[in-house]
Amino acid sequence: MDAGQIVRIARQARKMTLAELGQCCGYSPAQLSRYERGKTPLTDITLLRTFVDVLGISPEALGLASPCEGSGPIRLPISVEPGFLPLDGHSVAASAGGEDDPVRRRSLLIGAGLAVPAALLAKVEEALAVLPAPKAAASASEVASLLGQARLRFDTGDLAAFLRGLPGLLSAGHDVLDRALGDERHLALLAGCYDLASGALLKVGRLQASRITADRAATYATLSGDPVAQAMAARSCGIVLRHQGHRELAEQVMYAAATRLDNSGLRTAAAANTLAQILCTSAYNAAQAGDRDRAIELIAEAARAARTVPHELPAANRFAVTPAQVALYRVGVHWALGEPGAAMRAGQGLHPAQFPTPERRARLLTDLARVWAQADNPSRAIGALLAAHGHARAEVRDRAGIRGLAIELVRRHPTSTGADRLALVLAGT
């Protein structure tokens, strides 16, 4: 019995409609129906935990660690040829039919192979509670340089290096601000540090830490009075809210940010680019909420806004919103709406060379992998994930949703081309 069937049985036992469940977790009834019927793989760990809380399902039944299991490795089901699959220096027995004992329906170590160690994430979360003292007094220009280095690590997909340097970056940013309280430039700079931190923490599945850093980015951006910093922070808040299941609220936050920025009268390259980014993200949020008309309207508006973005942008912007970037978001919009055919058409002509950083190139390929999986073409999906890993391994091994998709593909389609290689990628070998 797969996760979708378990959710359906639990929902029906509680006499809940799809609409009622959707109100609790922020998904449309149509999307929940696709999950329950197995039309869309149910791999989003945040959503699975929401089902645990709302429906009273045991975490183990949905392939999650129970709260008392600590930080030990979590095993997920996999179907392989008879024998043993070496993972992280160990051997894990696998059955020919993939039908393990239901109590131990796991054979792929999700804890093994992560590019970002759990101990490193724990240190980052400790730093968010109590920042370490700065090693030395830094100037604003030095903090800006540190932020540029952090952004480079983010863009190259080296999330482990990014997170190792994050406590020092935040400590230096606060030190500069503490020595010049109220300085608007320093406030905007610190907001940028927290904004980038929120994106990285979300990638590695640290939702609560991502929410904390997004909220801090919004606070410092508001105090700075910088409309671009405020809009970027609002975008991060909206993305986290969507992941927490608050899709309507996420859309409201995004819409308000876009309106404020558009009404600010600011006509810089950074402002134009940020507005296009917000519109792209808002379109995706609307699609996740099942609002097709709104999603299509917003992505069309984003395409128009992108045409006003110059090629050269200030370093503070994560990436330039080019027509290719908008097309990639359009792929995601149609995937979220459950329209793989339209997503494939939107992605025609896209190729990695159109995207300037390894992180963006990997993002293209992981988004296409989701579409191929939705279209029931596991070999193409696996091939796209392997290609994405070649550009930025953390995009496959550490992003919770993509890692879950990869595990599901290996489990369900063990004989597909590349499945054995993908299993080794997940194991970190």
Side-chain angles (χ1 to χ4, degrees):
M1 184 179 298
D2 63 26
Q5 291 173 308
I6 293 170
V7 169
R8 183 179 67 247
I9 291 170
R11 175 181 61 79
Q12 291 175 342
R14 288 179 173 266
K15 295 182 170 54
M16 290 181 70
T17 65
L18 285 168
E20 289 169 339
L21 180 58
Q23 290 175 351
C24 296
C25 63
Y27 279 74
S28 68
Q31 181 61 52
L32 291 177
S33 177
R34 287 193 289 271
Y35 283 134
E36 289 189 352
R37 290 181 290 120
K39 299 296 185 182
T40 300
L42 186 47
T43 57
D44 187 322
I45 293 175
T46 301
L47 178 57
L48 288 169
R49 292 199 182 282
T50 301
F51 287 145
V52 167
D53 295 337
V54 173
L55 299 174
I57 304 170
S58 72
E60 294 86 352
L62 294 182
L64 301 170
S66 64
C68 62
E69 284 181 352
S71 59
I74 305 171
R75 300 173 183 272
L76 286 178
I78 183 173
S79 235
V80 295
E81 293 297 321
F84 293 87
L85 177 66
L87 295 173
D88 196 35
H90 300 283
S91 292
V92 181
S95 66
E99 295 296 333
D100 266 345
D101 178 349
V103 179
R104 297 175 53 82
R105 305 178 40 182
R106 327 205 186 272
S107 58
L108 187 60
L109 295 173
I110 197 172
L114 291 172
V116 179
L120 175 56
L121 292 168
K123 288 182 179 179
V124 170
E125 291 178 345
E126 287 174 11
L128 292 178
V130 182
L131 273 176
K135 294 181 178 179
S139 66
S141 61
E142 288 171 332
V143 174
S145 177
L146 288 174
L147 179 56
Q149 294 170 28
R151 187 172 291 107
L152 179 61
R153 296 183 188 115
F154 183 97
D155 287 341
T156 56
D158 193 350
L159 294 179
F162 175 92
L163 292 168
R164 274 194 296 272
L166 182 59
L169 170 64
L170 297 178
S171 179
H174 276 281
D175 182 58
V176 167
L177 181 61
D178 289 345
R179 287 185 281 110
L181 288 175
D183 188 301
E184 295 179 355
R185 296 168 302 166
H186 297 171
L187 286 162
L189 181 60
L190 186 56
C193 294
Y194 275 112
D195 181 55
L196 189 60
S198 179
L201 287 164
L202 188 63
K203 279 182 180 290
V204 297
R206 284 307 202 260
L207 189 57
Q208 186 58 32
S210 181
R211 175 65 185 267
I212 290 170
T213 46
D215 286 345
R216 290 181 186 175
T219 297
Y220 291 115
T222 299
L223 291 172
S224 77
D226 185 326
V228 172
Q230 291 177 49
M232 288 299 294
R235 176 178 178 270
S236 289
C237 287
I239 293 172
V240 175
L241 286 168
R242 185 189 76 223
H243 280 268
Q244 290 182 319
H246 307 302
R247 282 167 172 73
E248 291 184 3
L249 180 57
E251 191 173 351
Q252 291 171 19
V253 168
M254 293 286 196
Y255 180 76
T259 301
R260 283 196 303 270
L261 185 60
D262 200 30
N263 292 340
S264 70
L266 192 62
R267 294 295 178 262
T268 64
N273 191 66
T274 301
L275 179 60
Q277 282 181 283
I278 291 176
L279 290 169
C280 285
T281 307
S282 296
Y284 185 72
N285 282 356
Q288 286 277 3
D291 189 344
R292 187 182 192 281
D293 291 344
R294 178 71 173 154
I296 298 302
E297 175 189 350
L298 285 168
I299 199 64
E301 192 174 344
R304 291 191 291 272
R307 289 196 286 270
T308 69
V309 175
H311 294 296
E312 297 297 326
L313 286 170
N317 288 90
R318 289 191 200 169
F319 58 85
V321 182
T322 62
Q325 290 283 0
V326 177
L328 177 54
Y329 269 96
R330 197 183 296 275
V331 169
V333 163
H334 287 292
W335 169 81
L337 292 169
E339 301 171 349
M344 290 179 195
R345 289 191 292 275
Q348 285 180 346
L350 291 180
H351 52 85
Q354 293 172 303
F355 298 85
T357 68
E359 185 268 344
R360 286 286 100 187
R361 292 192 284 272
R363 188 58 179 260
L364 163 67
L365 292 160
T366 56
D367 278 9
L368 292 176
R370 294 193 304 183
V371 173
W372 286 117
Q374 192 176 60
D376 198 26
N377 192 326
S379 293
R380 294 292 296 272
I382 289 170
L385 289 176
L386 289 171
H389 180 264
H391 288 283
R393 61 177 185 166
E395 288 297 302
V396 176
R397 288 165 53 183
D398 285 312
R399 277 179 61 199
I402 298 303
R403 185 175 179 84
L405 170 63
I407 290 168
E408 190 74 2
L409 285 166
V410 172
R411 183 184 75 84
R412 288 178 175 269
H413 308 282
T415 61
S416 291
T417 302
D420 53 348
R421 288 177 54 206
L422 185 57
L424 294 175
V425 161
L426 292 167
T429 58

